[in-house]
Amino acid sequence: MKKSAAVRLGATLATAALAAATGLAVSTTTASAAVTGSATGYATQNGGTTGGAGGQTVRATTGTAIHAALCNRASSSTPIIIEVQGTINHGNTTKVSGSSCNTAAGVIELKQISNVTIVGVGSGAVFDQLGIHIRESSNIIIQNVTVRNVKKSGSPTSNGGDAIGMESGVRNVWVDHATLEASGGESEGYDGLFDMKDNTQYVTLSYSILRNSGRGGLIGSSESDRSNGYVTFHHNKYENIDSRAPLLRGGIAHIYNNHYVDLHESGINSRAGARAKVDNNYFEDSKDVLGTFYTSEAGYWQVGGNVFDNVTWSARSGDNQPAGPNPTSTTSVSIPYSYSLDNANCVPDVVNRTAGANKGNQVSNGNCTPQNPGPTDPTDPTDPPTDPTDPPTGTNLSLGAGADGSSKAGGTSYGNVIDGNTGSYWSPNGSTGSVSVKWSSATSVSKAHIREAAGSEGAIRGWRVLNHDTGAVLASGSGAGAISFPKTSLKKITFEITGSNGTPKVAEFETYSG
């Protein structure tokens, strides 16, 4: 016992030394009040976006500390919430090495990782001349931060000149209440504020300010880069931008309740087969706010409820095909998630009161009235209760069904969760993972019961239950036990562990119809 205590003490001292050297404060908290609200738009699809919910919370005051927090995780998918306070710049951002990270100096590198939240707290988080690079990663939340003056030429350079850039198979990113700004265009050394390319999908940018830049952002780096899409932009303010607000190449975008003011050359540039649903936006003191520009490869749009206030339109000619002066729809776009539209006439006011960092993370209620969002999972009081002493009753639908999941630990089996034997179990290959129950035909399910193997009770922390057919999140919370959700007809249901204490072991994944 004394030896075990000594080992633990040594680990604690090592962590403390790292914290002192990097500006990393370690906490054992599993949720943070600083993170508010839940993902919206396309970030809710494909299984949803929860970031580091259910994981450890740490405080970072340097870029090196952010990298250290990523590298100190048990694995590259272990959930973590990184609270950032202060100014992050080149002088305090160095590379940190580890098996759970892939970082670099001069840029905040979220590369080949998943399940991470970065949130500004306290007096604010400013990434000064330092970009945030998301590559080959998934389930990322960035909230309440300012990123400014990132350059691709001149000195210092970072992230190719993008404030936030995503590329190479990125999935499920929610950027919320951010301020992204530059001090000029390409000739001054700046590039885009919010760029997505090379197969980036299921992204939402909400309640953010993009300003003082030549380029607002793009989806797709060239006319042939059409693997990106399913992006939502809502309640953002684009101000003093030359073009790309945004530029869309292929894919689908939903653009609603944004305030555009002082766009100099063009705004929403839908091209190369892109389809944009453009709802209830307010365009003001701007030029050519919607259309296909600078290419012969057309894009399309569905418009409704927008206000055009002192907007000028160029004549249609060659590679410039503005949608105005009386924009009409050229396609139809079906949106798979629910959302509430503010009337366009109130958008300037509600966006001014809610968008950007350090605004209290307020959101609109769909009636033009800002309000405080609820806390983020897994501490949301509306989460379905989990009570292991009150399991569901009736027929366990998992018996006789099939099972599969993510990578499993050695010596375990997916089938162990549906065999009715609590003496066998499945474990993920790591601290997080998912296991599914599946049927050959649609089955109605409204309850589940997660039974942990003997000796591992309490290991499961954060979790989500997913309709695997659609990717919809049916329930989320913390701790194993009974789970209730609206009755749903599906062929496959997934229990996803997003956070754990030790090694999670699921003995039984029971399902019930009522």
Side-chain angles (χ1 to χ4, degrees):
M1 181 67 74
K2 290 182 179 179
K3 181 178 179 181
S4 175
V7 171
R8 291 197 300 269
L9 177 59
T12 301
L13 292 175
T15 301
L18 176 65
T22 63
L24 173 67
V26 181
S27 169
T28 58
T29 308
T30 57
S32 171
V35 186
T36 55
S38 299
T40 54
Y42 273 115
T44 64
Q45 305 299 290
N46 190 45
T49 304
T50 57
Q56 184 184 45
T57 296
V58 301
R59 181 71 61 91
T61 58
T62 68
T64 303
I66 295 173
H67 286 162
L70 297 172
C71 296
N72 286 340
R73 296 182 298 162
S75 74
S76 61
S77 62
T78 301
I80 189 169
I81 299 171
I82 305 173
E83 297 180 338
V84 181
Q85 182 173 7
T87 300
I88 311 301
N89 55 36
H90 285 261
N92 62 33
T93 301
T94 59
K95 175 182 174 65
V96 178
S97 298
S99 60
S100 61
C101 64
N102 189 346
T103 71
V107 60
I108 297 302
E109 195 79 287
L110 307 181
K111 184 177 181 180
Q112 298 167 343
I113 62 174
S114 60
N115 309 323
V116 174
T117 293
I118 293 179
V119 56
V121 297
S123 58
V126 177
F127 295 80
D128 184 29
Q129 303 181 74
L130 197 78
I132 299 176
H133 185 202
I134 306 172
R135 184 184 180 101
E136 300 174 67
S137 296
S138 63
N139 195 23
I140 307 294
I141 293 175
I142 299 173
Q143 187 178 67
N144 196 38
V145 303
T146 295
V147 187
R148 68 188 184 197
N149 292 335
V150 181
K151 285 191 171 185
K152 69 174 182 177
S153 63
S155 180
T157 60
S158 176
N159 194 23
D162 297 335
I164 296 179
M166 291 162 266
E167 61 180 307
S168 301
V170 171
R171 292 291 185 275
N172 291 86
V173 176
W174 178 37
V175 177
D176 179 63
H177 285 91
T179 297
L180 311 178
E181 56 191 7
S183 296
E186 187 175 21
S187 61
E188 288 78 29
Y190 306 99
D191 196 13
L193 296 177
F194 195 71
D195 280 12
M196 292 156 276
K197 57 188 178 182
D198 190 16
N199 195 21
T200 293
Q201 298 180 2
Y202 301 105
V203 176
T204 295
L205 176 67
S206 57
Y207 296 98
S208 294
I209 296 173
L210 298 89
R211 64 187 174 202
N212 303 335
S213 176
R215 297 168 172 175
L218 57 76
I219 303 174
S221 60
S222 67
E223 306 298 77
S224 61
D225 183 15
R226 303 190 185 193
S227 58
N228 312 279
Y230 307 114
V231 182
T232 301
F233 302 84
H234 75 90
H235 292 92
N236 304 299
K237 184 173 186 178
Y238 287 81
E239 181 178 18
N240 190 26
I241 301 287
D242 288 342
S243 62
R244 302 187 181 182
L247 185 157
L248 316 170
R249 291 180 169 113
I252 292 175
H254 187 197
I255 303 170
Y256 71 92
N257 283 156
N258 302 286
H259 183 203
Y260 295 89
V261 57
D262 198 17
L263 303 184
H264 306 146
E265 298 173 9
S266 61
I268 301 169
N269 184 355
S270 180
R271 53 198 273 187
R275 298 163 59 219
K277 184 170 173 60
V278 183
D279 292 329
N280 290 35
N281 301 281
Y282 197 102
F283 301 94
E284 181 179 5
D285 298 339
S286 297
K287 175 186 177 183
D288 288 343
V289 297
L290 174 65
T292 294
F293 305 102
Y294 325 121
T295 181
S296 60
E297 298 190 39
Y300 310 94
W301 44 84
Q302 179 181 348
V303 293
N306 301 288
V307 171
F308 301 93
D309 179 4
N310 192 33
V311 171
T312 59
W313 299 93
S314 301
R316 296 180 183 178
S317 175
D319 288 348
N320 289 305
Q321 298 292 321
N326 296 302
T328 58
S329 298
T330 59
T331 190
S332 178
V333 180
S334 177
I335 301 301
Y337 51 82
S338 61
Y339 60 100
S340 298
L341 283 172
D342 287 312
N343 187 289
N345 286 307
C346 77
V347 163
D349 176 66
V350 74
V351 168
N352 184 61
R353 295 166 65 186
T354 58
N358 303 316
K359 287 283 191 72
N361 291 351
Q362 284 196 318
V363 298
S364 174
N365 64 357
N367 294 311
C368 301
T369 304
Q371 62 181 4
N372 292 322
T376 298
D377 288 332
T379 56
D380 192 330
T382 63
D383 278 340
T386 61
D387 184 355
T389 66
D390 186 23
T393 58
T395 301
N396 176 10
L397 303 173
S398 298
L399 298 176
D404 60 25
S406 63
S407 297
K408 59 183 181 291
T412 71
S413 169
Y414 306 122
N416 289 341
V417 305
I418 58 171
D419 61 3
N421 178 12
T422 57
S424 62
Y425 61 87
W426 162 87
S427 277
N429 184 19
S431 59
T432 62
S434 61
V435 64
S436 302
V437 177
K438 57 186 180 180
W439 300 269
S440 59
S441 59
T443 301
S444 293
V445 182
S446 66
K447 295 181 181 179
H449 190 210
I450 303 300
R451 297 181 183 271
E452 293 179 280
S456 67
E457 293 90 343
I460 295 175
R461 293 289 185 85
W463 53 260
R464 301 190 302 170
V465 175
L466 308 176
N467 177 344
H468 196 93
D469 301 351
T470 65
V473 178
L474 301 177
S476 60
S478 60
I483 304 169
S484 297
F485 43 85
K487 182 171 285 190
T488 304
S489 179
L490 42 71
K491 289 186 176 182
K492 187 173 179 179
I493 187 170
T494 297
F495 180 71
E496 179 184 36
I497 300 170
T498 60
S500 63
N501 179 21
T503 302
K505 299 178 180 179
V506 178
E508 291 297 300
F509 180 2
E510 301 173 354
T511 53
Y512 299 87
S513 64

